[in-house]
């Protein structure tokens, strides 16, 4: 199996709600062996155009695990908080 990644490109609109969401996501990852690889704020854009302020990268053992995490009741319950907290584009990749 190849690892799969979800990359979130994020523009925070409510820092308090974003902090709440970020605190709750890790527990949703563990049943699917998801691992937070990187979470950070943009410093600069050396080339091209990029509209978001933050990025997150999460690794899963497979695309099936990634999809199961995203569709899980635990993560789906957090989506309303996420939508109030930030504009987020989630993209999945496989290595």
């Amino acid at each position: 199996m190849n690892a799969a990644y979800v990359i979130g490109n994020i523009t925070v609109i409510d820092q308090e709600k974003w902090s709440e969401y970020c605190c709750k996501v890790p527990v949703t990852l563990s049943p699917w062996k998801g691992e937070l690889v990187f979470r950070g704020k943009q410093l600069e854009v050396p080339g091209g155009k990029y509209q978001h302020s933050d990025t997150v990268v999460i690794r899963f053992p497979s695309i099936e695990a990634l999809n199961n995490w995203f569709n899980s009741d635990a993560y789906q319950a957090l989506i309303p908080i996420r939508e109030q907290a930030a504009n987020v584009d989630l993209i999945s990749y496989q290595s």
Side-chain angles (χ1 to χ4, degrees), residues 10-87:
I10 303 148
T11 300
V12 176
I13 54 178
D14 183 325
Q15 187 59 55
E16 186 176 321
K17 286 198 183 294
W18 183 247
S19 295
E20 175 187 355
Y21 169 81
C22 288
C23 288
K24 293 180 177 182
V25 169
V27 72
T28 71
L29 298 173
S30 59
W32 313 106
K33 296 186 171 66
E35 175 188 357
L36 181 63
V37 175
F38 173 82
R39 180 184 286 149
K41 293 195 173 294
Q42 179 195 120
L43 295 176
E44 59 184 61
V45 181
K49 297 179 182 176
Y50 188 74
Q51 303 301 316
H52 295 287
S53 59
D54 299 312
T55 297
V56 65
V57 178
I58 303 169
R59 178 178 40 235
F60 292 88
S62 66
I63 190 65
E64 292 81 12
L66 186 157
N67 289 331
N68 287 337
W69 162 75
F70 184 82
N71 292 311
S72 70
D73 291 342
Y75 184 70
Q76 288 294 306
L78 297 182
I79 290 176
I81 298 169
R82 187 192 76 200
E83 290 176 342
Q84 293 172 9
N87 297 319

